[in-house]
Amino acid sequence: SSSSTAPSSSSSSSSTAPSSSSSSSSTAPSSSSSSSSTAPSSSSSSSSTAPSSSSSSSSTAPSSSSSSSSSGSNSGTTTTTTTNTFSLGTNSLTKGTYTSKITSGRFTINASSSKYVEVQTATTTVNSTSYTKRIKMNGAGNASGRTISFTTNGPATIKILASSTSIFSRTINVAKSSYGGASAGTITVTGTASVQSISLSSAGTYYVYSTNSGIYVYDIIVSEQVTGTNTNTGSNTSSSSSSSSSSSNNSSTSTASLVDGGVYVIKNVNSGKVLDVANGLNVNGANVQQWSLNGYDAQHWKIVSKGNGYYVLYAVCTSNTKVLDVPCGNTTVASNMQLWEANGDDAQVFYLKANTDGSYAILPKLNTSMCVGVAESAKTDGANVALYSYTGAASQNWTFEKVG
């Protein structure tokens, strides 16, 4: 799960990030994955209340996981297929009635004044998983609201945990591209919460909604298959292995100062793994994770100064067209990190706070009390990278090693 907060410890900082605020302008869902290059997710704009959560998030906060397989040699091109699993995570949502859309991970809950959506407190156990919240859609969905949308980057299986709001059966439809689009499948739910699956044959944006009357949604779990190609340019010059201890990373790979326009490998102090675009995909919404150092361009980042310690981080594997991005401008705990087309929004600007050990914290300009960290302080390949409240933990600090 990518929703827990890294343990607090280690490196206290000597500088304070300038305060700032702003709103971003693009929208889309968010995600996770594993492998040595990129996977999709969403964008950098938000017009409504994002789900709130504390630095210690619940077990069913928007989560993601992945597994991967690859073919190819150590140099040149390899093809990687990754299975990414991400979930809605209703427990992390804030109770209330919503009349405009909200985001939760890679999902968007669409609502309007005429088609409002409620997040309710309710304790339910489905397939041995406990839920403390549910989404009530008190009627059929339409183009203006009472739908839940998400985007997959390949064929997928969707599991819907839901029930009727009454003793009568309800039909839930999954439509492609828009409300009322071609149906990918339907399920029938009763007054007892249950899990049912639908197979999605291709990548795309899908909408989940009731076709007749009220339903409760406890969770939606999507497992997508993503295939990508990684290119190794052989330009990595690192002399330290990805299994190095955090102390050796601090002493051998940190840089005293950052060069505007320089290309860097960005290494996590806790794990020794590096910031990686999953599957090396050059698409909006590609997921960002940690992976063992391998020299692929998916692990190279061009940093461009915006002044006063703020930078935009360009992914070299996209020919510097896409950048590190906070999806939908959502800076709550466990908000997933992704790539998005550079658009000048503050959701794509980060303050690089220098620590006394030579490492840096990567703080989003939208909320400099948050930071880019590794989920659950994991040390494994494919561990997700998301936003967390900054505590100075090793899993929240990074060394910048110049490679170009």
Side-chain angles (χ1 to χ4, degrees):
S1 163
S2 64
S3 62
S4 63
T5 304
S8 87
S9 74
S10 123
S11 68
S12 66
S13 63
S14 59
S15 61
T16 304
S19 66
S20 63
S21 65
S22 86
S23 62
S24 48
S25 63
S26 56
T27 58
S30 126
S31 93
S32 156
S33 93
S34 147
S35 148
S36 60
S37 301
T38 77
S41 170
S42 77
S43 146
S44 62
S45 135
S46 169
S47 59
S48 63
T49 306
S52 70
S53 61
S54 68
S55 61
S56 164
S57 52
S58 75
S59 60
T60 57
S63 65
S64 58
S65 62
S66 65
S67 61
S68 66
S69 60
S70 62
S71 60
S73 62
N74 290 332
S75 62
T77 300
T78 60
T79 299
T80 303
T81 299
T82 299
T83 300
N84 302 323
T85 300
F86 55 96
S87 64
L88 177 59
T90 54
N91 284 2
S92 67
L93 299 177
T94 301
K95 179 182 176 182
T97 299
Y98 293 87
T99 57
S100 61
K101 68 182 179 182
I102 60 174
T103 60
S104 180
R106 285 177 63 172
F107 294 85
T108 301
I109 302 166
N110 301 291
S112 65
S113 57
S114 61
K115 289 287 185 179
Y116 61 89
V117 171
E118 295 178 65
V119 175
Q120 300 179 331
T121 299
T123 301
T124 305
T125 299
V126 185
N127 276 13
S128 301
T129 300
S130 296
Y131 295 90
T132 59
K133 304 275 183 63
R134 66 188 181 191
I135 299 170
K136 182 180 182 182
M137 297 182 168
N138 198 25
N142 66 16
S144 67
R146 285 189 188 146
T147 65
I148 299 173
S149 59
F150 61 92
T151 299
T152 70
N153 300 289
T157 298
I158 173 176
K159 293 181 180 180
I160 302 173
L161 289 70
S163 68
S164 168
T165 57
S166 75
I167 61 173
F168 300 105
S169 297
R170 310 288 192 228
T171 299
I172 296 176
N173 186 43
V174 179
K176 188 172 183 180
S177 300
S178 63
Y179 168 83
S183 177
T186 62
I187 62 172
T188 300
V189 296
T190 65
T192 301
S194 63
V195 183
Q196 298 183 60
S197 300
I198 294 175
S199 294
L200 309 178
S201 61
S202 60
T205 298
Y206 292 87
Y207 288 75
V208 179
Y209 55 90
S210 171
T211 63
N212 44 12
S213 195
I215 58 172
Y216 295 124
V217 176
Y218 297 92
D219 208 354
I220 297 176
I221 303 169
V222 180
S223 295
E224 63 181 359
Q225 296 283 329
V226 180
T227 300
T229 300
N230 304 326
T231 300
N232 187 348
T233 63
S235 59
N236 179 58
T237 60
S238 171
S239 60
S240 60
S241 75
S242 61
S243 62
S244 300
S245 69
S246 61
S247 60
S248 64
N249 284 332
N250 282 337
S251 61
S252 64
T253 65
S254 61
T255 56
S257 61
L258 300 174
V259 177
D260 186 16
V263 175
Y264 290 85
V265 167
I266 303 173
K267 184 174 292 185
N268 188 260
V269 170
N270 180 60
S271 66
K273 309 289 186 182
V274 302
L275 200 63
D276 177 280
V277 179
N279 299 321
L281 296 178
N282 182 2
V283 295
N284 280 336
N287 191 56
V288 176
Q289 61 187 7
Q290 71 171 12
W291 200 265
S292 296
L293 187 67
N294 57 26
Y296 289 130
D297 276 349
Q299 299 182 347
H300 293 164
W301 301 85
K302 179 180 179 180
I303 65 171
V304 176
S305 175
K306 304 297 287 184
N308 297 320
Y310 288 97
Y311 289 83
V312 176
L313 279 62
Y314 288 83
V316 174
C317 66
T318 68
S319 299
N320 298 321
T321 61
K322 295 179 178 63
V323 301
L324 190 67
D325 178 277
V326 179
C328 307
N330 178 7
T331 61
T332 55
V333 169
S335 180
N336 193 65
M337 299 307 299
Q338 63 178 12
L339 293 189
W340 202 263
E341 199 81 28
N343 57 26
D345 289 342
D346 279 350
Q348 300 179 345
V349 180
F350 297 85
Y351 181 72
L352 301 184
K353 184 184 74 64
N355 298 319
T356 56
D357 63 354
S359 67
Y360 291 83
I362 305 173
L363 314 179
K365 184 177 181 181
L366 291 174
N367 184 352
T368 54
S369 68
M370 306 297 288
C371 70
V372 175
V374 177
E376 299 179 340
S377 297
K379 296 184 178 182
T380 55
D381 282 343
N384 201 46
V385 173
L387 291 184
Y388 299 97
S389 297
Y390 184 57
T391 64
S395 62
Q396 300 177 349
N397 290 321
W398 307 80
T399 59
F400 282 66
E401 179 181 347
K402 194 170 184 297
V403 295

